[in-house]
């Protein structure tokens, strides 16, 4: 029996299968950080995919925390109200749980849409702003140096993560993911390559992970008891195991996050340094998930060039991870879960309107959600 199509628990949240739609920025929000018709279509498409969970794109907790001027935000109540209305529409066509990834881009903020290829936008431009970070170290040498956050400003970031978490619950999300990966603000505090502070948020490992732990604590205090919060991390900076953030430190972070009540660890890598040397290939990040899984008792999600059903199934069968995250693969093929169920001889629940499309040779593939 396929493990990919067995249920899994993230805290109190039960998923029908272990296929996770991982966050993928769309750069399609208004300049006010509000969702648009694009998101309505995309979320509805995901809701009908048959995946166990959809985590929407990185959603900023502060205006200056957006990657670009076209990012979704949850720093005010209007954004929350519009997301709530959209989620209600989406949940009218599918019971699939939806989650939000709350984020702050730090020094990697104030960029143009990636397909326009212009990179970071200067602070004095209408669509740009002054970036912030742990230290005044830019991501690219030609970027404007970020402002090093003061202690008071760090406390405001923590408060804004907590406020956005409360809005996420009010909007109807079933789970929150903290974005502590890919070189964004929380990761910038964790890596010694970007964090040159000498106060309680810099220097030793315990100080560098302090902000991430305080953010998780504040968010948990702002949401109902037992509301599930997971964390996405970059397992390595791909800058050598002695220079940047590394796998051993990620194991230590994962243990600390578990102790504070995180319901899963979502293991990615990289994004912190412009000179990173990533060894791309199928399953290239799975060994990181596998190592972290050895040290925690909460589920670990593997992600990164996992594109084929049997490949995903093998990762689970080999106990290298507990769930599979798909991002680009789902963008390319939004019915990937259907096709995976067909390839693995499993059944998948779908909207009854689609039952008549079941292939003639696969009589037991599609089950109606209405029969649950």
């Amino acid at each position: 029996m396929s493990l990919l199509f067995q249920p899994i628990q993230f805290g109190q949240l039960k998923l029908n299968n272990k296929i996770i739609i991982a966050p993928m920025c769309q750069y399609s929000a208004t300049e006010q950080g509000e969702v648009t018709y694009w998101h309505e279509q995309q979320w509805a498409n995901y809701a009908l995919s048959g995946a166990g969970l959809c985590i929407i794109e990185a959603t900023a907790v502060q205006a200056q925390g957006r990657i670009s001027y076209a990012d979704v935000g949850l720093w005010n109540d209007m954004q929350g109200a519009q997301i709530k209305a959209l989620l209600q529409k989406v949940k009218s066509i599918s019971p699939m749980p939806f989650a939000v990834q709350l984020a702050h881009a730090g020094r990697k903020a104030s960029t143009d849409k990636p397909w326009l290829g212009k990179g970071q936008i200067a602070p004095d431009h209408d669509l740009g702003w002054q970036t912030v970070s742990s230290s005044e170290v830019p991501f690219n040498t030609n970027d404007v140096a970020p402002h090093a956050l003061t202690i008071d400003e760090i406390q405001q970031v923590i408060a804004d993560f907590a406020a956005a978490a409360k809005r996420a619950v009010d909007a109807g999300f079933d789970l929150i993911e903290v974005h502590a990966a890919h070189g964004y603000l929380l990761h910038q505090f964790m890596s010694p390559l970007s964090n040159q502070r000498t106060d309680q948020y810099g220097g030793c490992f315990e100080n560098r992970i302090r902000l991430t732990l305080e953010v998780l604590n504040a968010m948990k205090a702002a949401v109902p008891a037992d509301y599930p919060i997971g964390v996405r991390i970059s397992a390595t900076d791909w800058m050598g195991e002695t220079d940047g953030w590394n796998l051993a430190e990620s194991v230590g972070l994962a243990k600390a996050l578990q102790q504070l009540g995180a319901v899963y660890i979502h293991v990615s890598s990289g994004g912190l340094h412009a000179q990173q040397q990533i060894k791309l290939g199928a399953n290239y990040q799975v060994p990181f998930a596998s190592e972290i899984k050895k040290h925690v008792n909460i589920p670990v999600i593997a992600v990164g060039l996992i594109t084929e059903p049997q490949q995903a199934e093998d990762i689970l069968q080999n106990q290298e991870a507990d769930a599979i995250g798909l991002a680009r693969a789902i963008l390319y093929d939004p019915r990937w879960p259907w096709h995976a169920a067909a390839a693995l001889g499993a059944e998948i629940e779908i909207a009854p309107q689609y039952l008549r499309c079941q292939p003639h040779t696969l009589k037991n593939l599609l089950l109606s959600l209405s029969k649950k």
Side-chain angles (χ1 to χ4, degrees):
M1 184 176 293
S2 169
L3 289 181
L4 189 62
F5 288 92
Q6 295 302 303
I8 189 171
Q9 292 275 150
F10 289 159
Q12 298 300 308
L13 180 64
K14 183 177 181 180
L15 311 184
N16 286 341
N17 59 58
K18 298 174 181 176
I19 302 170
I20 312 300
I21 299 178
M24 179 64 68
C25 289
Q26 298 298 294
Y27 305 101
S28 299
T30 70
E31 291 177 23
Q32 291 72 44
E34 296 168 356
V35 292
T36 65
Y37 184 63
W38 176 266
H39 299 97
E40 181 171 338
Q41 294 299 300
Q42 190 204 30
W43 295 9
N45 199 18
Y46 283 165
L48 297 171
S49 70
L53 174 71
C54 174
I55 310 172
I56 71 158
E57 65 194 87
T59 299
V61 302
Q62 293 181 341
Q64 68 180 6
R66 294 172 292 170
I67 301 169
S68 79
Y69 56 85
D71 283 17
V72 174
L74 253 181
W75 67 80
N76 65 46
D77 292 342
M78 178 60 73
Q79 295 161 341
Q82 293 185 354
I83 288 175
K84 181 175 183 177
L86 178 47
L87 275 179
Q88 287 174 342
K89 284 186 179 181
V90 170
K91 291 194 174 190
S92 74
I93 62 172
S94 168
M96 176 201 284
F98 266 70
V100 60
Q101 184 187 66
L102 294 182
H104 192 302
R107 69 180 186 177
K108 292 178 75 174
S110 188
T111 71
D112 209 337
K113 297 178 181 181
W115 53 83
L116 298 179
K118 297 178 182 178
Q120 192 171 67
I121 300 174
D124 57 358
H125 189 282
D126 287 345
L127 296 175
W129 58 89
Q130 174 62 53
T131 64
V132 301
S133 187
S134 54
S135 304
E136 294 180 358
V137 181
F139 178 69
N140 292 301
T141 56
N142 58 342
D143 289 346
V144 174
H147 162 69
L149 290 166
T150 66
I151 295 297
D152 286 345
E153 290 167 340
I154 289 172
Q155 295 307 307
Q156 188 60 56
V157 168
I158 295 169
D160 288 342
F161 265 99
K166 186 177 185 304
R167 291 189 188 98
V169 174
D170 293 342
F173 286 111
D174 301 285
L175 177 147
I176 295 170
E177 179 172 278
V178 180
H179 198 356
H182 298 166
Y184 297 122
L185 184 64
L186 299 185
H187 187 181
Q188 289 161 30
F189 271 80
M190 290 190 284
S191 175
L193 295 175
S194 49
N195 186 343
Q196 299 178 356
R197 302 177 74 95
T198 57
D199 60 12
Q200 65 265 42
Y201 290 98
C204 67
F205 168 76
E206 290 77 13
N207 283 356
R208 286 184 281 114
I209 68 170
R210 186 184 306 276
L211 177 56
T212 298
L213 301 187
E214 289 181 347
V215 163
L216 178 59
N217 259 337
M219 291 172 64
K220 286 187 67 63
V223 303
D226 297 326
Y227 183 90
I229 301 178
V231 184
R232 192 173 204 187
I233 68 171
S234 278
T236 176
D237 288 339
W238 293 100
M239 292 293 291
E241 287 298 288
T242 58
D243 295 328
W245 179 258
N246 58 44
L247 180 56
E249 290 180 313
S250 289
V251 168
L253 173 64
K255 291 179 179 179
L257 293 170
Q258 174 181 270
Q259 188 172 6
L260 291 181
V263 298
Y264 67 68
I265 307 295
H266 191 169
V267 184
S268 189
S269 69
L272 187 282
H273 201 284
Q275 302 304 314
Q276 63 187 9
Q277 298 294 317
I278 298 181
K279 300 175 182 177
L280 285 174
N283 287 12
Y284 75 104
Q285 294 179 141
V286 173
F288 304 138
S290 179
E291 181 61 26
I292 290 171
K293 179 174 164 56
K294 296 174 185 176
H295 298 275
V296 296
N297 298 317
I298 53 177
V300 172
I301 304 172
V303 69
L305 286 181
I306 302 170
T307 58
E308 302 302 321
Q310 191 60 55
Q311 177 190 8
E313 180 69 21
D314 289 345
I315 292 167
L316 300 179
Q317 293 285 353
N318 294 334
Q319 300 184 36
E320 296 173 289
D322 301 290
I324 303 298
L326 303 173
R328 290 172 175 85
I330 286 279
L331 285 178
Y332 184 75
D333 179 8
R335 296 293 180 266
W336 192 96
W338 294 22
H339 303 147
L344 298 172
E347 298 174 336
I348 189 165
E349 295 175 334
I350 67 165
Q353 292 91 333
Y354 286 145
L355 289 175
R356 286 177 293 172
C357 77
Q358 180 166 255
H360 180 70
T361 56
L362 298 171
K363 295 298 186 183
N364 299 312
L365 172 64
L366 304 179
L367 300 177
S368 173
L369 283 168
S370 63
K371 293 181 180 179
K372 290 185 65 177

